[in-house]
Amino acid sequence: MSPSLRDLQLTSATGKGSQASEADAGEEERLLSSYDEENSGNLRRIQVSVTGMTCAACSTSVESALMSLNGVVKASVALLQNKADVTFDPALVKDQEIKNAIEDAGFDAEVLPEPSVSHSKPRGTLVGQFTIGGMTCAACVNSVEGILKKLPGVEKAVVALATSLGEIEYDPTVISKDDIINAIEDAGFEASFVQSNEQDKVVLAVTGVASEVDVQMLEGILCILKGVRRFYFDRTSKELEIHFDPELLGSRTLIDEIESSSYGKLKLLVKNPYTRMASKDLEESSKMFRLFTASLFLSVPVLFMRIICPHIPLLYSLLLWRCGPFQMGDWLKWGLVTVVQFVIGKRFYVAAGRALRNGSTNMDVLVALGTSASYFYSVCALLYGAITGFWSPTYFETSAMLITFVLFGKYLESLAKGKTSDAIKKLVELTPATAILLMKDKGGKVVREREIDSLLIQPGDILKVLPGAKVPADGLVVWGSSYVNESMVTGESAPVLKEVNSSVIGGTINLHGSLHIQANKVGSNTVLSQIISLVETAQMSKAPIQKFADFIASIFVPVVVTLALLTLLVWYFVGVLGGYPKEWLPEKGNYFVFSLMFAISVVVIACPCALGLATPTAVMVATGVGANNGVLIKGGDALEMAQKIKYVIFDKTGTLTQGKATVTTAKVFSGMDRGEFLTLIASAEASSEHPLAKAIVEYARHFHFFDEPSSTKDAQNHGQQSKSFGWLLDVSDFSALPGQGVQCFIGGKKMLVGNRKLMTENQITIPNHVETFVVELEESAKTGILVAYDNELIGVLGVADPLKREAAVVIEGLMKMGVNPVMVTGDNRRTAWAVAKEVGITDVRAEVMPAGKADVVRSFQKGGNVVAMVGDGINDSPALAAADVGMAIGAGTDIAIEAADYVLMRSSLEDVITAIDLSRKTFSRIRLNYVFAMAYNVIAIPVAAGIFFPWLKIKLPPWVAGACMALSSVSVVCSSLLLRRYRKPRLTTILEITVE
């Protein structure tokens, strides 16, 4: 399931709006790489054990001491692991000097021995995914990203709050995944490794390990197993991580060898990383619910004693009974709230501490400040009363209810955020758990069937798919016939007939007959895995609009704390100076307490979480909705650009047309026999890969053999043609001329098949009656192909590529949406304009060479226009990459799909409208989220500060403010979840677009 090295989604987001910055980044990477090539041989890297460090200040001190040494290039100190990682030039500084520098800083140091390396050199950088727990708002995300980007060997790091995931590109020769985890944990967050794009690693769950003897047996088996590079067995989780040589071992062979060598005592199961992530999400929600219920259980009695008990004489008299220096009620409140404050609420202090330690602030800082203020004031009020006899009111219930409501909000938030990632969970659920492997003998006869884990399927395996079962991997049908439901991948509801040589997609459902398929793509190479990776990476990406939220988050908490202090000072001094009557004060209260409650309410009601969640949750839902509708979105930046599209440029062949060219006319202008004419052309075109060439060969074969031409499967076409290729003539010196045609020699005479330019450059005269005939073909939306043999023009072929049935409706729909359609093609102008007229496009760029399509895109981008390109072929890739938004037809080539920002899985042009409409609705929702989050804080903070109290007597008690804060972020997430109700536009008529 891990993404492959070739997958585009494993690199940075492919936003086109930042090409300059990407170019700058590329230049920086080239400079760094050249530096490494020149100097890597001179540098050494060692690890030093450092003891005596107690806090972040200690680790910073050690780092400063190391970096002050001449020759030290990099120094990273892990506080919790008590280690320092130092990269240095041994010609300038020695190991002992590094050790002495640490000891001079006041710590004990010991240089650790360098580990022996028995594995092969890693291939370049790796992209790893890590779960990161404990993040509560955008400030936490910024803090974690900042920490990761400072680590030596980390090239890129993207952290997503909504999914609690981090995607990190790093150099395994400089830093390991354990170092990354340690760095995150040193910052006070929780971290665990999920997966990487390593193709030679597998994580297995091991059962049957009952003692140390079993562990030694497992290690002994692995040590002698040929192809195993290194391994690690976690005795706590019973997980085994193995790095192996894929040329010597496969994952299934590896498991079989271990199980057989242990005589069946050990059983191994491949761990699905997505399943592990889902269990962590469930665990987080369960943990929040437990904390909330525990806090509620302890807080309700405190609130009961404050509100209900004064009206029940017997109970109230018990609470007033003095026990030592305090009343029984005070003892009970103090005891219950202390547990809530420091046991259940410990997570807020821990999170606030790590934020402050990293020089940032977040929501946890506000919660810790607000609850601590009310708690410690109440404690001081009790102690002051015991000493002086003047008893001020206490606010223990405020602290308890604050924590309770915040935990309730966190629980609801975890549930809501869990729903936003349903798309990936649903896609993962499509992956079958097991597969039936057909074991064959040397003669090809099936000798037995074996059920295996679907994650252990290898290319070339023959698999049996029963009716109603999921197809376990991408492959070809080698036996059987059935209908397959592919709607979960393509969005197309109609079942598709699958026969021998038909391709099938893993995760789709076999409806009727049994099939035998040969797996050709497994693991991360399958269509479903790539869709999961695309959706996941899109949800990890950040839309440019989120920079606004990140900026607000960076200053939010300091501003709120400043406002709270101002609130306290203003209310206090105005009261002391007689600015408002004493009747406003609570019973037995004073000006300070009255002012403090306003200040606490300000601290607690402010919510940076709502701002931090406004964009990522909406992007997550939108990418999931898009995937369910057959539109794969590669990132938040793509969503943001798509809603601004001014021009959509369509490639003609295979995009506006069906890409199934057929010969409609064959006219001979010499005395040559028609069959001989077609044989010459087919012989010349047989070596070409162009779609028109295949159509010509098929037409000629049909003419000769009266065989119904197949139009369904390339594999069948190939099989049929191969049986009848004997009629083709021998060809020499064949060459394909891009934008012109082909030329070769047949029987020693020059053969030309192509357009006017090809004829003109070879001095072939085109008679007037031939030119007239070609013009008539072109004006009827057909491509005229001229044929010359032995320097004489001998005939013309007319080739038509039917338009997609929805093309004209989509063009009309785009214009009604305010988007201008453009067509670009390498075809001649008459054919291009004839096709454009049929679909309603008025702006056409014809006779454009493949490399020139990108120039057409750039010409429309002048003036700041946002331009989308829709294409399907390799020749469209430069234009797809150059466009602000590239949209690749799903049936197109892999290169075109990788270069695009959107993939239209159904290959339907209607999805162009869906992509634009979804992006517009998504960003309308994001803007609404920001308005809601900003309005909440703009309105709530002044109310909490008591600005309206002098006139309206409106005052928010701190515990009510806590309830409002808890629900604010949940409201934003629920607002994003409304996007799940999205229905794509339905093109009912050419003149009208209505939404289902």
Side-chain angles (χ1 to χ4, degrees):
M1 284 290 191
S2 61
S4 64
L5 283 171
R6 72 173 188 85
D7 288 340
L8 179 70
Q9 62 268 21
L10 290 172
T11 61
S12 62
T14 57
K16 306 298 186 292
S18 57
Q19 292 171 347
S21 63
E22 289 180 0
D24 293 342
E27 180 64 23
E28 181 181 352
E29 289 174 5
R30 286 192 293 274
L31 290 172
L32 288 173
S33 100
S34 66
Y35 174 86
D36 288 342
E37 288 174 3
E38 294 173 6
N39 299 281
S40 60
N42 299 328
L43 298 180
R44 276 192 64 209
R45 179 183 173 211
I46 63 170
Q47 287 193 335
V48 184
S49 172
V50 183
T51 56
M53 297 188 296
T54 58
C55 63
C58 299
S59 59
T60 303
S61 176
V62 174
E63 282 188 5
S64 300
L66 291 171
M67 291 303 297
S68 65
L69 291 176
N70 182 29
V72 172
V73 177
K74 298 175 184 175
S76 176
V77 179
L79 174 63
L80 297 183
Q81 282 65 42
N82 294 314
K83 284 183 182 179
D85 192 285
V86 188
T87 303
F88 62 98
D89 186 345
L92 300 175
V93 65
K94 305 300 181 186
D95 296 13
Q96 187 62 39
E97 293 175 293
I98 292 173
K99 179 176 180 292
N100 293 341
I102 297 174
E103 290 177 344
D104 290 343
F107 304 93
D108 295 328
E110 181 181 353
V111 178
L112 299 175
E114 296 184 22
S116 59
V117 179
S118 59
H119 54 85
S120 61
K121 183 180 179 180
R123 300 178 298 277
T125 60
L126 294 178
V127 178
Q129 288 185 338
F130 299 78
T131 59
I132 303 172
M135 297 187 297
T136 57
C137 63
C140 299
V141 173
N142 295 338
S143 177
V144 174
E145 284 188 350
I147 291 165
L148 291 173
K149 289 175 181 178
K150 292 178 183 177
L151 294 176
V154 172
E155 297 188 3
K156 295 173 185 174
V158 179
V159 177
L161 173 63
T163 56
S164 297
L165 277 177
E167 188 171 89
I168 303 164
E169 184 178 345
Y170 63 97
D171 185 348
T173 61
V174 178
I175 190 170
S176 69
K177 66 177 185 297
D178 293 329
D179 295 331
I180 294 172
I181 291 172
N182 292 339
I184 297 172
E185 290 179 343
D186 284 348
F189 299 91
E190 299 172 0
S192 63
F193 177 74
V194 178
Q195 63 177 352
S196 74
N197 58 340
E198 289 179 295
Q199 298 298 299
D200 56 356
K201 188 197 74 172
V202 64
V203 179
L204 307 169
V206 185
T207 58
V209 177
S211 64
E212 188 63 30
V213 175
D214 297 327
V215 175
Q216 293 175 2
M217 176 179 67
L218 175 62
E219 293 176 346
I221 294 171
L222 291 169
C223 286
I224 63 174
L225 195 56
K226 188 176 181 181
V228 173
R229 290 172 172 164
R230 63 184 186 276
F231 59 88
Y232 172 73
F233 179 67
D234 190 325
R235 288 168 168 78
T236 304
S237 63
K238 300 293 176 63
E239 286 187 357
L240 175 64
E241 180 181 301
I242 304 176
H243 292 255
F244 58 93
D245 186 344
E247 295 180 1
L248 299 176
L249 274 177
S251 53
R252 187 168 74 234
T253 306
L254 180 64
I255 290 175
D256 290 344
E257 288 287 344
I258 296 173
E259 291 183 348
S260 62
S261 298
S262 66
Y263 303 102
K265 180 175 177 56
L266 301 179
K267 297 292 182 184
L268 293 91
L269 179 68
V270 180
K271 298 284 286 186
N272 188 325
Y274 295 102
T275 303
R276 292 156 64 195
M277 288 164 56
S279 64
K280 285 182 176 294
D281 292 341
L282 182 62
E283 182 182 339
E284 178 66 16
S285 294
S286 300
K287 180 181 178 181
M288 284 295 111
F289 182 73
R290 288 195 303 270
L291 289 172
F292 162 66
T293 52
S295 181
L296 182 65
F297 179 76
L298 295 174
S299 300
V300 167
V302 178
L303 202 61
F304 183 80
M305 284 186 279
R306 176 66 179 264
I307 299 174
I308 306 297
C309 286
H311 303 287
I312 305 175
L314 180 61
L315 287 178
Y316 194 54
S317 62
L318 290 175
L319 294 177
L320 295 176
W321 178 56
R322 185 166 297 278
C323 182
F326 309 121
Q327 295 174 350
M328 179 59 69
D330 294 329
W331 282 115
L332 289 174
K333 290 178 184 179
W334 192 356
L336 291 172
V337 174
T338 298
V339 175
V340 174
Q341 183 77 26
F342 299 109
V343 179
I344 298 174
K346 176 185 174 182
R347 65 187 313 276
F348 297 112
Y349 283 101
V350 172
R354 70 184 171 221
L356 294 172
R357 186 173 61 192
N358 291 310
S360 63
T361 51
N362 57 18
M363 190 206 73
D364 296 300
V365 173
L366 296 180
V367 174
L369 278 174
T371 57
S372 297
S374 58
Y375 175 83
F376 287 110
Y377 166 77
S378 299
V379 172
C380 290
L382 282 181
L383 296 175
Y384 183 76
I387 296 171
T388 66
F390 180 79
W391 298 94
S392 299
T394 59
Y395 295 92
F396 282 118
E397 69 281 351
T398 295
S399 175
M401 294 308 298
L402 274 176
I403 291 176
T404 301
F405 278 117
V406 172
L407 290 173
F408 178 62
K410 285 295 174 188
Y411 170 62
L412 293 180
E413 189 179 306
S414 66
L415 290 179
K417 287 198 295 183
K419 289 184 178 294
T420 63
S421 58
D422 278 351
I424 291 180
K425 294 177 184 176
K426 289 179 180 178
L427 289 168
V428 172
E429 288 170 0
L430 293 177
T431 307
T434 59
I436 301 175
L437 176 66
L438 299 178
M439 312 291 290
K440 295 186 177 182
D441 58 17
K442 294 182 179 180
K445 181 180 179 182
V446 177
V447 292
R448 70 184 179 97
E449 297 178 2
R450 174 190 173 191
E451 187 173 87
I452 63 170
D453 191 313
S454 62
L455 297 175
L456 298 178
I457 297 172
Q458 298 173 356
D461 284 347
I462 305 298
L463 308 167
K464 182 178 181 180
V465 188
L466 298 174
K470 294 176 182 177
V471 177
D474 294 3
L476 291 176
V477 176
V478 295
W479 178 88
S481 174
S482 180
Y483 280 88
V484 174
N485 180 2
E486 297 182 340
S487 61
M488 61 287 300
V489 175
T490 65
E492 192 65 58
S493 58
V496 182
L497 176 63
K498 300 295 181 182
E499 299 176 315
V500 174
N501 289 326
S502 298
S503 60
V504 290
I505 302 173
T508 56
I509 300 175
N510 180 27
L511 297 178
H512 302 299
S514 292
L515 295 174
H516 291 181
I517 69 167
Q518 182 177 37
N520 55 21
K521 290 183 179 179
V522 300
S524 61
N525 293 322
T526 64
V527 170
L528 184 59
S529 293
Q530 292 185 1
I531 291 174
I532 292 172
S533 295
L534 279 173
V535 174
E536 188 177 57
T537 304
Q539 294 181 351
M540 287 284 297
S541 69
K542 291 184 178 181
I545 195 174
Q546 197 167 339
K547 293 178 181 178
F548 167 74
D550 292 342
F551 170 72
I552 296 296
S554 66
I555 64 172
F556 189 90
V557 176
V559 169
V560 169
V561 172
T562 302
L563 289 175
L565 290 173
L566 287 174
T567 299
L568 174 65
L569 295 173
V570 169
W571 276 107
Y572 178 74
F573 285 111
V574 170
V576 170
L577 296 174
Y580 54 82
K582 288 188 176 181
E583 288 77 13
W584 289 5
L585 303 181
E587 185 181 355
K588 295 184 180 180
N590 54 45
Y591 290 113
F592 178 77
V593 175
F594 184 66
S595 306
L596 181 63
M597 290 302 104
F598 283 119
I600 292 174
S601 295
V602 169
V603 168
V604 173
I605 204 168
C607 184
C609 293
L611 285 167
L613 293 170
T615 298
T617 53
V619 170
M620 283 187 69
V621 176
T623 52
V625 167
N628 292 335
N629 285 280
V631 178
L632 297 184
I633 307 165
K634 290 190 176 180
D637 50 349
L639 268 170
E640 183 162 350
M641 294 302 294
Q643 48 114 19
K644 304 175 184 175
I645 290 174
K646 182 70 181 283
Y647 294 95
V648 174
I649 301 176
F650 291 92
D651 173 50
K652 179 177 79 71
T653 305
T655 302
L656 287 172
T657 67
Q658 296 178 15
K660 297 176 182 177
T662 56
V663 177
T664 59
T665 306
K667 190 171 182 65
V668 183
F669 290 100
S670 67
M672 185 179 294
D673 177 74
R674 183 182 178 89
E676 183 183 356
F677 171 70
L678 293 175
T679 301
L680 282 171
I681 301 173
S683 300
E685 294 284 6
S687 299
S688 173
E689 292 296 321
H690 198 280
L692 294 183
K694 294 179 180 179
I696 293 169
V697 174
E698 180 70 10
Y699 180 82
R701 185 186 60 78
H702 174 56
F703 177 85
H704 281 289
F705 298 97
F706 302 98
D707 188 14
E708 184 63 28
S710 170
S711 61
T712 56
K713 306 171 186 67
D714 289 342
Q716 288 180 332
N717 287 342
H718 179 74
Q720 291 170 352
Q721 292 170 13
S722 63
K723 297 177 182 178
S724 51
F725 273 174
W727 55 276
L728 294 175
L729 303 175
D730 291 333
V731 172
S732 61
D733 298 331
F734 172 86
S735 62
L737 306 173
Q740 297 184 32
V742 300
Q743 70 176 24
C744 61
F745 285 86
I746 300 177
K749 298 178 181 179
K750 192 174 186 179
M751 181 80 184
L752 299 171
V753 183
N755 57 18
R756 293 182 183 84
K757 186 176 182 181
L758 178 64
M759 301 300 154
T760 302
E761 290 188 357
N762 286 274
Q763 288 80 46
I764 303 296
T765 302
I766 303 175
N768 290 336
H769 65 284
V770 175
E771 177 65 25
T772 302
F773 181 76
V774 173
V775 169
E776 290 175 356
L777 289 175
E778 293 171 345
E779 289 179 344
S780 60
K782 297 175 183 177
T783 300
I785 298 177
L786 301 166
V787 182
Y789 183 60
D790 194 19
N791 295 319
E792 179 185 355
L793 197 145
I794 61 173
V796 174
L797 291 178
V799 181
D801 187 0
L803 285 169
K804 290 181 177 176
R805 60 183 181 180
E806 75 275 10
V809 182
V810 168
I811 297 302
E812 180 72 15
L814 285 171
M815 289 191 290
K816 291 190 74 66
M817 295 173 71
V819 178
N820 303 309
V822 181
M823 188 179 80
V824 61
T825 178
D827 213 337
N828 66 81
R829 296 183 182 276
R830 289 192 184 89
T831 302
W833 277 104
V835 171
K837 185 177 179 181
E838 283 191 56
V839 298
I841 294 178
T842 58
D843 195 341
V844 178
R845 306 301 165 95
E847 298 179 1
V848 178
M849 295 291 285
K853 291 183 180 180
D855 295 330
V856 173
V857 169
R858 295 186 188 99
S859 68
F860 280 95
Q861 289 174 325
K862 292 179 180 178
N865 294 320
V866 176
V867 178
M869 172 71 193
V870 185
D872 69 318
I874 293 176
N875 58 352
D876 298 325
S877 299
L880 288 169
D884 298 292
V885 181
M887 298 184 183
I889 299 297
T893 64
D894 289 343
I895 295 176
I897 290 173
E898 289 185 1
D901 302 296
Y902 284 76
V903 181
L904 313 180
M905 292 300 297
R906 298 189 310 153
S907 300
S908 170
L909 292 178
E910 292 182 30
D911 291 338
V912 174
I913 287 181
T914 301
I916 297 174
D917 183 66
L918 176 59
S919 68
R920 289 181 177 180
K921 284 185 169 57
T922 299
F923 268 81
S924 293
R925 181 63 56 179
I926 289 173
R927 292 187 189 99
L928 182 64
N929 287 349
Y930 277 128
V931 168
F932 179 80
M934 291 296 293
Y936 164 81
N937 284 292
V938 168
I939 295 172
I941 292 176
V943 172
I947 288 179
F948 304 106
F949 182 77
W951 302 280
L952 303 176
K953 298 300 183 289
I954 295 176
K955 183 169 68 170
L956 286 180
W959 66 272
V960 175
C964 294
M965 183 274 292
L967 293 174
S968 62
S969 58
V970 177
S971 300
V972 168
V973 175
C974 291
S975 170
S976 295
L977 287 175
L978 290 176
L979 279 171
R980 298 174 70 186
R981 301 172 60 186
Y982 173 84
R983 295 292 181 270
K984 63 182 180 180
R986 184 177 180 181
L987 307 180
T988 55
T989 65
I990 292 179
L991 300 177
E992 183 181 10
I993 298 177
T994 59
V995 180
E996 290 180 343

